[in-house]
Amino acid sequence: MKRGRKRRIPPLVIILAGAAIVIALTYTLPPFRNYQLATVGAYLCVTAGLTVLTGLNGQLSLGHGALMATGAYTLALAQNKWLNLPLSLLLAIVVTTAAGAVIGLAAARLRGPYLAGLTLAVAIVVPSVTSTFDETFNSDQGLSVVLDPPPGTIPMERWQAWLCWAGALITVLVLATLVRGRFGRDLRAVRDDETAAKLAGINIARTQVLAFVVSAACAGLAGALFAFLAQSVSPGAFPLTLSLFLVMAIVIGGLGSLFGALWGAVLLVALPTLSQSIAEQTGSQRLEGNLALVVFGVVLVVVMLAAPGGIASIRIPRFLRRTR
């Protein structure tokens, strides 16, 4: 007798359940925890896009922090002129998508360390642009973001959590739909064997560029949401270490898994908080900046030894483990 195939829960159902959980949490958590919850949602946008690029398509990017900065500065400039948050968010996504297309066209010709070097250069160059055009970007001081107050009597932190998670859940829904279809199959085919994929009629360069464009759009939305959260944007908010943390987060969470991207987003908020607590308790505030990187490294080693596929590979209900 043939075993029946297990029916997968549609991504939309999981997204709606996630939205209900987030709304419930925002009514029970204190303001600071709501802010942290909002930060997790903003990080989920970029980790979800990066895990599709790196985990499903095999392109390593060390420059997603710079793409986030592009989205953040775009939102700040737009908000300070138009004061229309939906249009500013949309413009941030469009501008970052265009930047991702340019990088993706160059990245499609590169492999391995050469691709990593290109994206690393982007992560270094983009912050320096703010100093070159200081009249527009206000150099190291950055820009403040003018925002309208939340509607009604909604507390600011709860409003931030709702908006960030709305962006995160829409991002995950779009990505889950894409990777379950032909686009996802093309990504995996190119990652596994470019020669075989080319013989199967897949356009290698176009697939890689599209993967970078989709991932850049997610990073742009994440950067815009961070500007919305902080109500300011500066080069110091998007250092090179941010790009390194993003890569480590998706590896720890589980490459190629959107559920793993969620774990990565949680770790990006939890581990720096943990390192700050350790620094305060040990009295080593001077090490606080590097301690987060050390903590990330230790967690990465432990997880890779215990679960080489990342946290998402640990045996849990199947519909939660993978959305691809």
Side-chain angles (χ1 to χ4, degrees):
M1 294 179 61
K2 294 183 179 180
R3 297 178 60 184
R5 294 182 62 186
K6 294 182 179 180
R7 300 177 64 182
R8 290 184 177 181
I9 298 179
L12 181 59
V13 175
I14 300 176
I15 295 303
L16 292 176
I21 293 173
V22 169
I23 292 174
L25 286 175
T26 57
Y27 280 99
T28 58
L29 295 175
F32 177 69
R33 298 303 180 190
N34 270 332
Y35 180 83
Q36 287 185 313
L37 182 65
T39 306
V40 172
Y43 271 127
L44 179 55
C45 294
V46 62
T47 56
L50 185 58
T51 200
V52 169
L53 177 69
T54 303
L56 293 184
N57 193 228
Q59 296 189 77
L60 176 62
S61 172
L62 299 177
H64 265 53
L67 293 173
M68 289 177 63
T70 303
Y73 272 99
T74 302
L75 180 122
L77 292 172
Q79 278 295 115
N80 293 344
K81 291 186 178 181
W82 301 318
L83 297 179
N84 189 324
L85 189 58
L87 285 178
S88 299
L89 286 170
L90 180 60
L91 182 61
I93 295 172
V94 171
V95 171
T96 313
T97 300
V102 174
I103 300 172
L105 287 171
R109 297 178 175 272
L110 301 174
R111 300 292 183 274
Y114 302 103
L115 173 60
L118 171 65
T119 55
L120 181 64
V122 172
I124 296 173
V125 168
V126 169
S128 65
V129 173
T130 60
S131 299
T132 304
F133 302 96
D134 56 344
E135 293 184 0
T136 302
F137 300 109
N138 198 25
S139 192
D140 293 337
Q141 286 71 37
L143 300 172
S144 60
V145 180
V146 180
L147 295 172
D148 292 329
T153 58
I154 301 175
M156 186 62 181
E157 291 80 6
R158 186 181 301 164
W159 174 239
Q160 289 174 326
W162 286 357
L163 184 60
C164 288
W165 274 95
L169 293 175
I170 291 173
T171 299
V172 171
L173 178 60
V174 171
L175 292 177
T177 303
L178 287 175
V179 300
R180 285 189 172 199
R182 180 178 177 180
F183 179 65
R185 292 192 297 271
D186 289 350
L187 291 179
R188 287 186 285 270
V190 172
R191 175 198 63 189
D192 294 339
D193 192 327
E194 291 188 11
T195 303
K198 188 174 182 180
L199 292 174
I202 298 174
N203 190 315
I204 306 297
R206 183 177 63 186
T207 301
Q208 291 178 325
V209 171
L210 286 176
F212 218 106
V213 165
V214 170
S215 184
C218 298
L221 174 59
L225 291 175
F226 268 100
F228 166 71
L229 282 173
Q231 300 183 32
S232 65
V233 56
S234 65
F238 305 96
L240 176 60
T241 52
L242 174 59
S243 297
L244 301 178
F245 284 148
L246 291 174
V247 174
M248 286 192 289
I250 63 170
V251 172
I252 295 171
L255 280 176
S257 168
L258 294 180
F259 185 61
L262 173 59
W263 273 111
V266 172
L267 292 174
L268 284 167
V269 176
L271 293 185
T273 303
L274 175 62
S275 64
Q276 183 178 2
S277 300
I278 295 174
E280 291 176 354
Q281 292 177 1
T282 58
S284 56
Q285 280 78 10
R286 293 182 178 180
L287 299 177
E288 185 176 337
N290 295 323
L291 192 57
L293 192 59
V294 173
V295 172
F296 255 101
V298 171
V299 172
L300 177 62
V301 172
V302 172
V303 171
M304 289 300 99
L305 290 175
I311 297 175
S313 67
I314 299 174
R315 187 175 295 277
I316 55 176
R318 185 176 179 181
F319 74 92
L320 288 176
R321 185 168 68 249
R322 287 197 182 275
T323 55
R324 58 174 176 167

